[in-house]
Amino acid sequence: MSTDQRTFRRTVLDLGDAVLRPWDRALDLPGGTVPALVAAAADPVIAHWNPLGTADPPAAESYLDRCDTAWTEGRTGAFAITDAADGTLCGNVALFWRDREDGLAMIGYWLLPAARGRGLATRATVAVARWGVETAAARRLELAHAVGNDASCHVAERAGFRYEGTLRASYRHPGREYNDEHLHARLAGDAW
């Protein structure tokens, strides 16, 4: 399959109580997109498990530029999870190609404190995974999280990503030691 067929194209996904909207320069969150990203980076849970690198306005602007470019190139589908009623930021879910020609993609997510505990990360992960399979022919979707991040492990399992093993010393956030990660995956043909 050609990389043209394996292209993530900007779209909006409606979950009812939440809307997944592309992270890019056009995204306009209440109170401002840049301040929302800076605030998300300051959340202790996000900072511990998934440091955003958006701790100040220039870094947040750079993040939006990278998302915009990745969408334009079709290599990453990064979505802001927003509240359907008021448009405020709830979190993020992103799908990116690890091996585009082979159809291998990786998914990740984070939620702000007010959005946690209601199944939103699971529903957003399933919606974006299904979108990647149906619109860009992803054949295998992987999800990796740090060992010890039990909340992320539960999301992976509820979203149908089977546990496949532990990757030893597989990932390092800047300035930290390497972490072991759990690898979960689902195939395009798995039951949804």
Side-chain angles (χ1 to χ4, degrees):
M1 183 163 289
S2 75
T3 56
D4 285 345
Q5 293 170 304
R6 289 204 164 119
T7 296
F8 298 132
R9 300 190 198 294
R10 284 179 178 89
T11 193
V12 173
L13 301 173
D14 189 342
L15 302 182
D17 63 335
V19 179
L20 310 182
R21 298 167 44 206
W23 281 112
D24 59 25
R25 286 294 183 171
L27 183 64
D28 185 24
L29 298 174
T33 302
V34 168
L37 279 167
V38 172
D43 175 68
V45 173
I46 293 171
H48 180 73
W49 296 117
N50 192 10
L52 297 181
T54 61
D56 57 48
E61 295 276 355
S62 178
Y63 175 81
L64 290 171
D65 288 341
R66 288 190 309 275
C67 287
D68 202 24
T69 299
W71 273 112
T72 299
E73 294 173 356
R75 58 185 165 82
T76 300
F79 295 89
I81 304 169
T82 60
D83 185 273
D86 63 14
T88 58
L89 182 64
C90 297
N92 169 78
V93 61
L95 184 65
F96 63 92
W97 291 115
R98 286 199 50 212
D99 186 333
R100 196 169 181 173
E101 288 188 21
D102 192 35
L104 174 60
M106 174 77 69
I107 197 162
Y109 44 82
W110 52 262
L111 287 181
L112 290 166
R116 294 177 190 146
R118 56 183 173 141
L120 186 53
T122 301
R123 291 183 293 123
T125 298
V126 169
V128 171
R130 178 176 269 169
W131 167 80
V133 167
E134 292 174 354
T135 66
R139 67 161 192 87
R140 177 180 165 86
L141 300 110
E142 294 181 344
L143 188 160
H145 63 82
V147 171
N149 187 345
D150 295 335
S152 194
C153 195
H154 295 313
V155 168
E157 291 168 348
R158 286 191 305 263
F161 285 75
R162 296 180 189 169
Y163 173 73
E164 293 189 342
T166 300
L167 305 170
R168 296 179 305 139
S170 64
Y171 189 78
R172 182 172 67 111
H173 293 294
R176 296 190 190 173
E177 297 294 321
Y178 279 94
N179 294 317
D180 292 349
E181 292 183 300
H182 285 165
L183 176 65
H184 299 258
R186 72 178 301 153
L187 302 178
D190 289 347
W192 291 94

